[in-house]
Amino acid sequence: MEIQRGGCSCGHVRYDISVPPLALYLCHCTNCQRRTGSAFGMTMHIPSSGYSVTQGEVVNIGNDKLGTFVCSQCSSWVYNESSKSGVISFPPGTLDDTSRLKPQANVWTRSAQPWVVMDPALDNYEEQPRPWTELYPADWAERCEMEAS
């Protein structure tokens, strides 16, 4: 896979992604609406072994179970990492090239703004999939293990 690059709002932090995504979805929960100041947030999941910060410093403002890493300069969300899953989640709008992004699902649609039109071709969930791996390809565990070795 071609390496994809991205960074935070101020350019202090830069990252590389060397693996294909496990999932890309739009989240309509009220937390994402507040965090983004928009109608929804967009999140991508990838195996953690395929994500590397190549420049700058990130600070963990999360906890032991879920690290939330932000730029040390502008506080932009850079990524989340679960201590158990081996999966990174991050805002794909921070990629340098967003032209290939294609969401596969909408989650928390019950909180969606009434004027948002849901694409019927996507998977639409009133809340969130339980577990999140429901959105992942069938070989996701093997992909995470292969990427780690």
Side-chain angles (χ1 to χ4, degrees), residues 36-57:
T36 63
S38 185
F40 52 83
M42 183 167 49
T43 301
M44 183 182 284
H45 291 197
I46 63 167
S48 57
S49 59
Y51 187 98
S52 60
V53 173
T54 58
Q55 172 188 305
E57 180 185 2

Side-chain angles (χ1 to χ4, degrees), residues 4-55:
Q4 293 184 289
R5 293 186 164 84
C8 69
S9 294
C10 75
H12 175 72
V13 172
R14 299 289 300 157
Y15 64 82
D16 286 354
I17 296 175
S18 60
V19 295
L22 298 170
L24 174 59
Y25 58 89
L26 306 178
C27 182
H28 300 269
C29 77
T30 54
N31 287 337
C32 282
Q33 290 178 32
R34 279 189 202 97
R35 179 180 53 78
T36 63
S38 185
F40 52 83
M42 183 167 49
T43 301
M44 183 182 284
H45 291 197
I46 63 167
S48 57
S49 59
Y51 187 98
S52 60
V53 173
T54 58
Q55 172 188 305

Side-chain angles (χ1 to χ4, degrees), residues 10-149:
C10 75
H12 175 72
V13 172
R14 299 289 300 157
Y15 64 82
D16 286 354
I17 296 175
S18 60
V19 295
L22 298 170
L24 174 59
Y25 58 89
L26 306 178
C27 182
H28 300 269
C29 77
T30 54
N31 287 337
C32 282
Q33 290 178 32
R34 279 189 202 97
R35 179 180 53 78
T36 63
S38 185
F40 52 83
M42 183 167 49
T43 301
M44 183 182 284
H45 291 197
I46 63 167
S48 57
S49 59
Y51 187 98
S52 60
V53 173
T54 58
Q55 172 188 305
E57 180 185 2
V58 293
V59 177
N60 184 0
I61 62 169
N63 55 46
D64 291 341
K65 292 181 181 178
L66 180 64
T68 298
F69 295 86
V70 299
C71 170
S72 64
Q73 302 298 305
C74 69
S75 299
S76 294
W77 173 37
V78 179
Y79 67 94
N80 287 352
E81 184 171 23
S82 167
S83 60
K84 296 182 181 181
S85 71
V87 172
I88 291 274
S89 62
F90 74 99
T94 61
L95 288 165
D96 294 344
D97 179 9
T98 59
S99 65
R100 294 180 280 178
L101 296 177
K102 185 172 191 277
Q104 71 194 78
N106 286 290
V107 301
W108 284 101
T109 59
R110 75 176 192 188
S111 304
Q113 294 299 312
W115 47 265
V116 171
V117 178
M118 299 296 160
D119 182 344
L122 302 181
D123 292 329
N124 293 296
Y125 297 85
E126 281 195 9
E127 293 184 351
Q128 68 188 43
R130 297 206 189 269
W132 279 105
T133 55
E134 186 176 318
L135 296 177
Y136 296 179
D139 66 344
W140 76 272
E142 294 82 19
R143 283 176 52 186
C144 290
E145 288 173 14
M146 286 189 308
E147 297 300 333
S149 54

